[in-house]
Amino acid sequence: MSDETRPKTQITDLAGRNVAANVRRIREAHGWSTYDLARKLKEAGRPISPSAVAKVEREERRVDAGDLVALSVVLNVNPSALLLPRDDSPTTIVDLMPGKHTDGGEVRMTASRLWEWADGEVQLFSAPKAEDDFQAQREFIQNARPPRRGLREMEALLRQYRLKDEEGHTDGPSVD
């Protein structure tokens, strides 16, 4: 199939649209052209042509994980700054994915919660029952955080539940 007959890629997912807008915004904030960004990516060892950079910004080219890391490094931002909307308002609702979560619910949340999740501060979904919340938070820390950070965060989680117990709340497990 020639390039002339190949249908154009059109990015429709939230993350892809965010990457497109954020790459353009940050590139322009640096005062760089698409040629400048492409040159810097090539120098960094991840060549992406100027036309491919323009396609990313027009939502006509997908960015894979390696591209995302390279763009983040060259633009000097964390990957979340490219993946997420610029908004972190607690009142803005974000549809993270078009489908359903495994529990059947919508995959939507406030922009503020989305940033907290992306920064590794909270799990995306809370446990449905309060008594399961400690276990869910423990599993999140164990699976999503590196061991050293996880240990510090687990200690903080235990302190939080210990304080609840001392205040007479019985909605969580005993940590003694």
Side-chain angles (χ1 to χ4, degrees), residues 84-96:
L84 301 181
R86 188 82 168 130
D87 185 355
D88 69 344
S89 167
T91 59
T92 301
I93 301 298
V94 178
D95 289 313
L96 187 58

Side-chain angles (χ1 to χ4, degrees), residues 5 8 19 21 36 45 51 57-58 65-66 74 76 80 83 90 112 116 120 127 131-132 134 142 152 154 156 164 173:
T5 60
K8 275 189 175 180
V19 169
D36 294 329
S51 65
E57 292 181 358
R58 289 193 312 262
V74 169
N76 196 28
S80 297
L83 287 168
S112 176
E116 290 169 350
E131 59 267 20
D132 295 335
F134 176 83
Q142 183 178 10
R152 287 192 307 264
M154 185 60 70
K164 282 184 179 182

Side-chain angles (χ1 to χ4, degrees), residues 20 23-42 46-58 71 74-75:
V23 166
R24 177 184 298 260
R25 175 182 58 78
I26 297 166
R27 176 186 58 77
E28 289 175 349
H30 283 297
W32 299 342
S33 68
T34 56
Y35 292 93
D36 294 329
L37 180 53
R39 180 178 44 77
K40 291 175 185 298
L41 286 163
K42 184 178 180 180
R46 185 70 176 200
I48 301 175
S49 71
S51 65
V53 170
K55 285 181 179 182
V56 166
E57 292 181 358
R58 289 193 312 262
L71 285 162
V74 169
L75 294 169

Side-chain angles (χ1 to χ4, degrees), residues 53-142:
V53 170
K55 285 181 179 182
V56 166
E57 292 181 358
R58 289 193 312 262
E59 300 176 19
E60 295 174 357
R61 180 183 185 272
R62 294 197 173 279
V63 171
D64 68 20
D67 293 341
L68 182 71
V69 170
L71 285 162
S72 298
V73 168
V74 169
L75 294 169
N76 196 28
V77 296
N78 58 321
S80 297
L82 297 180
L83 287 168
L84 301 181
R86 188 82 168 130
D87 185 355
D88 69 344
S89 167
T91 59
T92 301
I93 301 298
V94 178
D95 289 313
L96 187 58
M97 293 173 46
K100 303 278 187 190
H101 183 261
T102 55
D103 67 5
E106 299 290 330
V107 185
R108 40 192 341 222
M109 69 208 63
T110 65
S112 176
R113 176 91 178 178
L114 178 62
W115 273 94
E116 290 169 350
W117 169 69
D119 289 342
E121 297 171 11
V122 297
Q123 57 191 334
L124 189 57
F125 301 104
S126 299
K129 295 185 281 185
E131 59 267 20
D132 295 335
D133 195 46
F134 176 83
Q135 181 67 18
Q137 289 181 38
R138 186 195 64 75
E139 287 175 7
F140 172 76
I141 291 169
Q142 183 178 10

